[in-house]
Amino acid sequence: MHRRHPAAPTRGVHLTSLIAAMITALTGVLIAVLAYVLNQRGELRRSKRQAHLDRINAQLRDLYGPLLVLIEANERTWDAFRERHLTSREERRRAGGLTEEQNLRWRRWVLTVLVPTARQMRDVVLAHGDLFIEDEIPQVVLDFCAHVSSYEVTVVEWEAGEDGDVLVRHPGEGLVTYIRDAYRSLKAAQAEVLRAQE
């Protein structure tokens, strides 16, 4: 009589179990690797968003915020001075310029209010010029800094009793518009990044 070997069927079951265990283990490893990769990508995105938010915060805090406050203060001061102490531009042209009293008052305001504020603005630009939105410092800002520098000479001439004149004119409304628009744009970008983090 011929006997069957009892291990034959067990071997097939054991091999099947081994393959199933290997597939389960490989699936677990693949899931772990995929989870790690996705987690790293998410972390990288979060890190980039945080770096972007940090830059926007620095731009608002150190550059555009101070510039906006200073320029708004100068604009209000200039408007108040002009309304109270100056005749219209047309009248001044007809009269050949400022009267002696207007000229003295103008110099006093320039020396005590307008120039100190302009110097603060220039100092903010010098200290934080790397925070401009653009790749280079905007021309209107450079023109303003040149205006402030040219006023330094005028102030010295006035203090010496001379009739100094400002060689580089203030860039005017272009500077005000640039700073206001840049500040608003950064505030909108900041809000967008904060919403994305929620």
Side-chain angles (χ1 to χ4, degrees):
M1 201 168 189
H2 200 60
R3 284 181 142 191
R4 283 188 161 170
H5 198 286
T10 314
R11 222 180 265 160
V13 171
H14 182 60
L15 186 60
T16 305
S17 297
L18 185 61
I19 291 171
M22 286 176 65
I23 290 172
T24 303
L26 281 174
T27 303
V29 168
L30 285 174
I31 289 171
V33 168
L34 184 60
Y36 175 79
V37 168
L38 291 175
N39 186 43
Q40 287 301 101
R41 287 180 70 190
E43 218 24 71
L44 184 60
R45 276 196 303 272
R46 277 190 292 280
S47 177
K48 283 182 178 180
R49 270 198 310 266
Q50 187 59 49
H52 183 54
L53 180 61
D54 290 346
R55 178 156 175 83
I56 290 171
N57 289 340
Q59 288 173 309
L60 288 168
R61 179 187 59 243
D62 298 330
L63 182 65
Y64 289 100
L67 286 179
L68 182 65
V69 169
L70 291 167
I71 205 159
E72 293 293 357
N74 245 15
E75 286 298 297
R76 289 183 186 192
T77 303
W78 164 242
D79 289 343
F81 174 81
R82 188 177 53 212
E83 286 175 20
R84 182 145 190 190
H85 299 296
L86 292 180
T87 54
S88 72
R89 183 175 284 176
E90 199 174 286
E91 289 178 74
R92 290 195 307 270
R93 280 189 187 133
R94 278 199 305 265
L98 297 174
T99 66
E100 190 175 327
E101 182 184 333
Q102 287 173 328
N103 196 34
L104 286 172
R105 185 171 279 130
W106 166 244
R107 288 183 183 192
R108 196 174 308 124
W109 273 70
V110 166
L111 293 172
T112 57
V113 178
L114 300 175
V115 166
T117 304
R119 285 175 179 152
Q120 284 180 283
M121 290 175 66
R122 179 200 55 205
D123 292 348
V124 167
V125 170
L126 291 173
H128 302 289
D130 60 316
L131 294 176
F132 279 99
I133 295 169
E134 300 81 3
D135 292 335
E136 297 179 358
I137 298 175
Q139 189 59 48
V140 71
V141 174
L142 295 174
D143 292 345
F144 172 75
C145 290
H147 167 72
V148 176
S149 294
S150 78
Y151 240 120
E152 300 289 2
V153 175
T154 304
V155 167
V156 171
E157 290 172 341
W158 287 353
E159 288 170 348
E162 300 170 17
D163 286 333
D165 192 24
V166 182
L167 296 177
V168 180
R169 293 324 232 178
H170 189 284
E173 193 60 33
L175 179 68
V176 179
T177 301
Y178 168 74
I179 292 171
R180 286 175 180 162
D181 289 351
Y183 184 84
R184 275 194 293 266
S185 171
L186 283 169
K187 286 300 283 183
Q190 181 188 51
E192 188 177 322
V193 174
L194 288 172
R195 272 195 305 274
Q197 287 184 339
E198 290 175 355

